[in-house]
Amino acid sequence: MLGLTLFFCMNIFSASSQNITGTKVNLAPTPPMGWMTWNYFADNIYEKDIWEMADAMQSSGMVKAGYDHIFIDDGWQGGRDNRNNIIPDQKKFPSGIKALADYLHSKGIKLGIYSDAAQLTCAGYTASLGFEEQDAKTFASWGIDYLKYDYCGAPEDSNTAKIRYKKMADALRNSGRDITFGICEWGDRKPWLWAAKAGGQLWRTTGDVRDKWKRLPSEKWGEGIMDILDVNAELAQYSGPGRWNDPDMLVVGLYGRKGPSGDGGGTGCSDTEYQSQFSLWSMMNAPLIATNDLRNMNKATQKILLNEEVISINQDILGKQAERKIKNEVWNVFVKPLANVDYAIAILNRSDGVKTFKINFSDLGLNRKYIIRDLWQHQAVGKAKFWKGKVQSHETKIFRLKKV
Ligand code: GLA
């Protein structure tokens, strides 16, 4: 009997430490937050700049607000040594990656790094194919907490992708350190259907976001905030604790900076549009990964990135991605249930003009009277069964609804 009880207890324990897809929930129980090198520095990354960003992340209040990762993207690699260990570029990281990780950890910041499931990365640097276990051990020995694993130079079929990602996921799991695994094959092989099973906690759902609102009909490429939204919003059912849809980085505060986010027509957005990206990404459980220059943020950018009420919607432990309940040329309305039984709703005006909107909450399946708190104004704006008001062009309102 005791044996049977023990057996059940062990089963319950192992079931509760894993989610339905078999991945460990504790690696990313809420969407990761932080700052990533790519859009600001491209592959010109130097340790001095990263130290400065870490200091700025702390002094600006971002660490306190939950941004607790720095993600080194492509361009850190300096090849392999004579024992095939991957090494950083000595000019860019003269103190080594471990020294950087130690510095960040002393500030309560985790370190993410980047590689690719082929011989070379997207920007042409040394990658991990064939060296998965060795690289995973190296990353663990440096104190790495997160790996973004790209897919440039790899074959197109899904089967190979599943095998290559699982290989690295297993290697990370056997590395002796908890390393969160972010899969980056741009949604091309529908990773929401297999990436969690392969061992990923996140998977990119789209190509790279550019610093623009929307791709124009005349533009051949370059996805803007709306293009990415339209893919990611349809994938709500696949997102949950430890398995997040990743619609790519925040472009908030880049203002048309040249470089990766400026390519493909990324000439910049207005603060209202940046506020919308932040609101929508928060509603969709996206990782909140800033890419602007944290050392020189203007007030508008700080106001967006440091909105703790909106961040709390993103970090809500229930981990339900908002569903897009209304979708037409002008209006998109999203609903996200929260752990304390409140709801967050977001109202986006996609049109080119300011418009008035009235929404009866019952049309969203919310049949009570609610206290309506505007999370950008930081105040209650009513107690009702509906909301009516003006929404600026490209603005997204976020309300928290509490049952009266
Ligand atoms: C790909 C990824 C980007 C970035 C670059 C680096 O394009 O999608 O996010 O990591 O590679 O080369």
Side-chain angles (χ1 to χ4, degrees):
M1 187 60 194
L2 182 67
L4 204 62
T5 316
L6 207 63
F7 173 78
F8 277 120
C9 287
M10 281 166 69
N11 270 343
I12 289 165
F13 176 76
S14 62
S16 66
S17 67
Q18 307 220 309
N19 70 14
I20 44 159
T21 50
T23 57
K24 270 167 86 186
V25 169
N26 62 1
L27 279 182
T30 60
M33 294 175 65
W35 179 85
M36 193 173 269
T37 52
W38 185 244
N39 283 340
Y40 196 77
F41 291 119
D43 58 347
N44 302 307
I45 30 174
Y46 290 84
E47 63 181 26
K48 179 183 150 289
D49 294 320
I50 299 180
W51 284 335
E52 281 178 19
M53 285 298 175
D55 293 346
M57 201 155 107
Q58 195 168 49
S59 62
S60 62
M62 286 183 73
V63 176
K64 197 171 146 273
Y67 296 85
D68 63 352
H69 287 79
I70 286 202
F71 303 93
I72 301 178
D73 206 276
D74 207 352
W76 63 270
Q77 309 88 330
R80 293 187 183 275
D81 68 12
N82 55 12
R83 277 170 297 169
N84 277 332
N85 292 316
I86 196 160
I87 49 171
D89 181 317
Q90 304 294 316
K91 280 200 231 61
K92 294 174 175 172
F93 293 89
S95 318
I97 305 287
K98 181 161 189 331
L100 179 61
D102 290 346
Y103 181 68
L104 297 183
H105 289 157
S106 76
K107 289 176 159 301
I109 302 171
K110 298 180 178 129
L111 181 59
I113 207 158
Y114 167 98
S115 194
D116 188 296
Q119 264 145 14
L120 295 179
T121 67
C122 297
Y125 293 85
T126 302
S128 294
L129 183 67
F131 294 94
E132 290 85 353
E133 282 176 11
Q134 195 172 345
D135 289 358
K137 289 214 168 80
T138 302
F139 297 152
S141 75
W142 289 342
I144 294 295
D145 303 291
Y146 184 107
L147 175 67
K148 170 175 173 179
Y149 206 44
D150 219 334
Y151 208 62
C152 283
E156 269 183 24
D157 67 286
S158 306
N159 230 14
T160 309
K162 289 178 198 169
I163 293 167
R164 290 192 184 187
Y165 278 110
K166 183 164 185 318
K167 184 111 206 261
M168 185 47 107
D170 290 347
L172 292 174
R173 227 181 18 232
N174 296 329
S175 71
R177 188 174 170 84
D178 281 343
I179 300 179
T180 304
F181 192 37
I183 286 176
C184 178
E185 57 75 77
W186 323 289
D188 290 352
R189 281 149 286 259
K190 298 192 169 56
W192 45 89
L193 298 178
W194 54 264
K197 213 166 153 212
Q201 284 75 52
L202 288 86
W203 44 86
R204 283 272 301 275
T205 54
T206 68
D208 295 1
V209 64
R210 308 294 161 177
D211 187 8
K212 66 199 226 182
W213 182 245
K214 192 171 171 36
R215 177 156 143 198
L216 304 172
S218 61
E219 290 175 328
K220 285 214 174 62
W221 64 287
E223 290 165 86
I225 295 167
M226 288 299 101
D227 309 300
I228 300 236
L229 172 74
D230 285 337
V231 176
N232 203 70
E234 302 304 315
L235 301 172
Q237 70 184 105
Y238 302 105
S239 171
R243 48 192 175 96
W244 309 107
N245 291 316
D246 174 0
D248 204 12
M249 310 167 212
L250 297 168
V251 290
V252 176
L254 285 169
Y255 298 111
R257 179 182 169 79
K258 289 211 181 348
S261 60
D263 295 342
T267 52
C269 297
S270 67
D271 288 327
T272 304
E273 292 169 339
Y274 288 141
Q275 182 172 319
S276 271
Q277 191 199 17
F278 194 74
S279 305
L280 296 162
W281 265 227
S282 292
M283 292 290 284
M284 294 192 297
N285 294 345
L288 295 180
I289 301 182
T291 57
N292 59 309
D293 186 355
L294 305 179
R295 301 162 301 187
N296 296 296
M297 285 194 278
N298 66 15
K299 283 261 155 7
T301 301
Q302 287 185 33
K303 191 174 149 244
I304 295 169
L305 293 177
L306 289 166
N307 186 330
E308 294 197 31
E309 289 198 89
V310 175
I311 291 172
S312 76
I313 301 300
N314 174 262
Q315 293 292 304
D316 185 76
I317 52 163
L318 189 60
K320 283 250 181 221
Q321 177 172 329
E323 275 185 48
R324 184 157 58 174
K325 298 275 194 183
I326 295 176
K327 176 187 170 187
N328 58 49
E329 293 279 289
V330 178
W331 301 107
N332 280 188
V333 179
F334 294 80
V335 179
K336 178 171 166 49
L338 302 172
N340 74 345
V341 310
D342 288 359
Y343 288 90
I345 67 167
I347 301 170
L348 160 67
N349 173 3
R350 296 176 74 127
S351 80
D352 290 335
V354 53
K355 295 226 178 329
T356 299
F357 190 56
K358 179 174 178 200
I359 179 85
N360 293 314
F361 299 138
S362 60
D363 293 344
L364 306 172
L366 310 179
N367 296 311
R368 306 291 195 101
K369 193 176 188 186
Y370 299 92
I371 298 166
I372 308 162
R373 183 171 176 84
D374 184 321
L375 302 190
W376 286 108
Q377 282 186 42
H378 301 293
Q379 62 182 26
V381 292
K383 196 191 284 183
K385 292 183 159 184
F386 68 93
W387 178 81
K388 185 177 178 205
K390 279 198 171 58
V391 188
Q392 301 300 317
S393 163
H394 300 179
E395 182 189 1
T396 302
K397 301 258 183 215
I398 296 201
F399 300 117
R400 188 168 184 133
L401 304 185
K402 185 174 279 308
K403 242 174 12 192
V404 173

